[in-house]
Amino acid sequence: MNKQLFILTVLTACVSLTVTAQGAKDAEGTNPGWLWTISGNGLQQKSYLFGTCHGEGHNFTSEELLGISGLDDALNNVKAVLFEGGMNTEISKADSVAIISEVENTMKKLKHPGAEYMMPEGTYYKPLFDTVAHFNEVNKFLYYQMKDPEYWKKNPRYWLTRMRLYMVGIRRGTPLDVILKQETVKRGIEPRYVEERDEIGNSLLSKIFDTSVIDTMSMKEQVKSLYKIVHYVINNDSVNSYFQAFANVYLQNDTCMMWQYLNKAGFVAGAESEDDNDHEIQYDRNVKWIPVIMKNITDASCMVAVGCRHLMGSESLIAMLRREGYTVEPVKKK
């Protein structure tokens, strides 16, 4: 488990002019922005690729959306906008009931933990930590922040599950994707999707409640992961402050700035991450989306609006479309 797993629903990254996207500028020395054109390979009309920001913690506005250079004009020239599946609000009742039920069942188990969540008799937290400083940091957080003076009675498996829900539950704000969909409907543009319904949302939710990875770890390894999560939260003031900082960088419409920001934060900015969860969410979905994108841009002029991270690196949508023979270029900023 790592910090990427908890913020994948909101963490996005950036794009760049070159395939590797490491600080490349265009011919006029300007860093590329979030909007790209797709042409060539037999297309009868130009389409667009737009890197959105899922990052909650900031209430995006229509003014901020349309302030991104070239986006207003691009929307005036497309027949459809392709969103990620999570933007499709037409989730079946059965799916909704299943999700709510899983959340409620997990919360009940955490509120009244059984034997599987209790620390073995004679086992204590302090000796499991690498250093006393690490123990003190977690001890203070669980005691005061999580308001549980008897936290030590529950095992690390319990607290790792609690922290997953904690990280997800404190997200706030209005993602840029939501504002873009509102603008799409307002203009009479057809919303489409690159994946089925809330496919990725359900996938991520299942990971949140999946303890199989935790169960393969020793208790010492579990404690080490717990420390990393707690340390991350403490040193970023709150997850919301991280998201807000991310949104502020995104609004600069500067891919190189975002690349540097993510690398400094310790993330693999593109789809090349070796983390299994990250790889599935980024690279695997890019592969699945390419045939859907190709079909849609062949039929009509479209804007493909997905998280910026899908547009970054050697396995990005930009790189994959180029390998299919399309010309993908950044829109010049005014």
Side-chain angles (χ1 to χ4, degrees), residues 126 129-137:
K126 193 170 184 177
F129 283 88
D130 290 338
T131 69
V132 174
H134 288 186
F135 165 73
N136 288 339
E137 195 168 328

Side-chain angles (χ1 to χ4, degrees), residues 14-16 20-23 34 249 254-264 267 269-270 272 312-313:
C14 57
V15 295
S16 77
T20 54
Q22 298 186 49
W34 305 127
V249 175
D254 187 319
T255 60
C256 297
M257 182 184 296
M258 180 64 84
W259 177 275
Q260 293 168 0
Y261 174 78
L262 287 172
N263 284 340
K264 186 176 180 180
F267 292 99
E272 293 88 344
M312 173 176 271

Side-chain angles (χ1 to χ4, degrees), residues 31-134:
N31 294 343
W34 305 127
L35 185 63
W36 297 67
T37 59
I38 308 171
S39 60
N41 201 25
L43 292 181
Q44 299 300 309
Q45 62 282 314
K46 181 167 58 178
S47 283
Y48 298 88
L49 193 57
F50 175 53
T52 67
C53 183
H54 309 326
E56 289 136 303
H58 177 81
N59 287 307
F60 283 98
T61 66
S62 57
E63 289 76 17
E64 288 171 333
L65 171 72
L66 299 178
I68 295 175
S69 187
L71 190 65
D72 190 25
D73 290 339
L75 285 172
N76 288 333
N77 292 313
V78 297
K79 302 295 185 184
V81 175
L82 277 73
F83 294 94
E84 294 186 37
M87 290 302 298
N88 189 343
T89 56
E90 299 171 1
I91 304 173
S92 71
K93 184 176 180 180
D95 287 341
S96 299
V97 170
I99 292 171
I100 293 171
S101 176
E102 192 163 18
V103 172
E104 290 179 344
N105 287 337
T106 301
M107 293 302 291
K108 285 180 181 178
K109 290 179 181 178
L110 293 175
K111 191 172 182 179
H112 302 287
E116 75 275 16
Y117 282 136
M118 303 309 291
M119 188 70 101
E121 186 175 353
T123 303
Y124 302 97
Y125 272 93
K126 193 170 184 177
L128 294 171
F129 283 88
D130 290 338
T131 69
V132 174
H134 288 186

Side-chain angles (χ1 to χ4, degrees), residues 125-177:
Y125 272 93
K126 193 170 184 177
L128 294 171
F129 283 88
D130 290 338
T131 69
V132 174
H134 288 186
F135 165 73
N136 288 339
E137 195 168 328
V138 173
N139 174 67
K140 183 177 179 181
F141 181 86
L142 297 182
Y143 192 100
Y144 293 104
Q145 187 69 28
M146 302 303 287
K147 296 179 172 58
D148 190 346
E150 296 187 332
Y151 75 85
W152 46 271
K153 291 184 178 180
K154 290 101 170 175
N155 60 27
R157 182 173 180 265
Y158 170 88
W159 285 110
L160 287 172
T161 305
R162 275 283 298 272
M163 289 305 297
R164 288 182 177 192
L165 294 175
Y166 176 83
M167 295 286 280
V168 171
I170 62 177
R171 290 181 289 128
R172 298 290 186 271
T174 304
L176 191 72
D177 314 70

Side-chain angles (χ1 to χ4, degrees), residues 169-188:
I170 62 177
R171 290 181 289 128
R172 298 290 186 271
T174 304
L176 191 72
D177 314 70
V178 171
I179 304 300
L180 178 58
K181 188 169 184 183
Q182 291 172 353
E183 188 66 26
T184 297
V185 173
K186 176 182 174 182
R187 298 187 185 208

